[in-house]
């Protein structure tokens, strides 16, 4: 008697290379990608961090070498990138732990927490960067 109205199912297609620039990733997706990037960056720069640590604690002469190395502007930028990577990874990790225990899993709450992670990590990086460059 009554025919079931067929609703058109949404069609999901893989996006091509040409469409990547127009694809709008949600904030939660951007934070997730940055979490992976920051983790990979910290892992890949671990030998550099260990070298800096070794130079800072071996002797007074190596500490002077460490201080001279840190006066280089490029090295300061690398250190600032490491600071951002750590702070973003830490803040996003807390967000993901909260999501694992089902806190903030709704779409609006997830977007809000993702933006909060970005803002907090960038503000903390700014504070540490000002201290690193001697402006604070």
């Amino acid at each position: 008697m009554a025919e079931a109205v067929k609703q058109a199912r949404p069609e999901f297609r893989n996006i091509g290379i040409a469409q990547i620039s127009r694809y709008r990733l949600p904030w939660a997706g951007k934070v997730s990608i940055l979490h992976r990037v920051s983790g990979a960056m910290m892992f890949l720069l671990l030998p550099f961090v260990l070298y800096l640590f070794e130079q800072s604690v071996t002797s007074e002469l190596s500490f002077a070498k460490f201080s001279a190395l840190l006066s280089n502007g490029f090295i300061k930028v690398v250190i600032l990138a490491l600071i951002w990577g750590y702070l973003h990874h830490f803040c996003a990790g807390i967000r993901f732990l909260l999501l694992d225990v089902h806190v903030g899993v709704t779409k609006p709450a997830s977007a809000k927490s993702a933006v909060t992670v970005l803002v907090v990590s960038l503000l903390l990086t700014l504070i540490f960067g000002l201290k690193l460059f001697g402006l604070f």
Side-chain angles (χ1 to χ4, degrees):
M1 187 155 107
E3 285 186 25
V5 178
K6 282 190 172 183
Q7 290 183 338
R9 292 182 63 190
E11 187 175 319
F12 300 104
R13 297 181 184 165
N14 294 332
I15 62 172
I17 297 294
Q19 298 169 326
I20 288 178
S21 63
R22 294 181 305 215
Y23 186 74
R24 230 184 56 160
L25 197 61
W27 287 109
K30 292 174 186 175
V31 167
S32 178
I33 289 172
L34 287 174
H35 183 74
R36 293 170 190 223
V37 167
S38 64
M41 179 183 65
M42 286 190 301
F43 176 73
L44 292 174
L45 290 176
L46 186 61
F48 177 67
V49 172
L50 291 175
Y51 169 75
L52 289 178
F53 179 69
E54 186 254 338
Q55 289 296 314
S56 70
V57 298
T58 302
S59 67
E60 289 182 24
L61 185 61
S62 68
F63 183 76
K65 186 178 174 184
F66 168 75
S67 297
L69 182 66
L70 278 186
S71 66
N72 186 346
F74 177 73
I75 298 298
K76 284 185 179 182
V77 171
V78 171
I79 297 293
L80 186 63
L82 274 169
I83 290 170
W84 168 81
Y86 174 75
L87 291 171
H88 179 80
H89 202 77
F90 180 77
C91 294
I94 291 173
R95 176 183 179 266
F96 291 132
L97 285 174
L98 290 173
L99 289 174
D100 284 344
V101 294
H102 303 288
V103 174
V105 292
T106 63
K107 199 170 190 177
S110 177
K112 185 177 178 182
S113 68
V115 171
T116 302
V117 163
L118 286 174
V119 169
V120 167
S121 66
L122 288 175
L123 283 176
L124 288 172
T125 302
L126 177 67
I127 292 169
F128 280 99
L130 290 174
K131 181 67 176 167
L132 177 66
F133 285 95
L135 302 173
F136 183 61

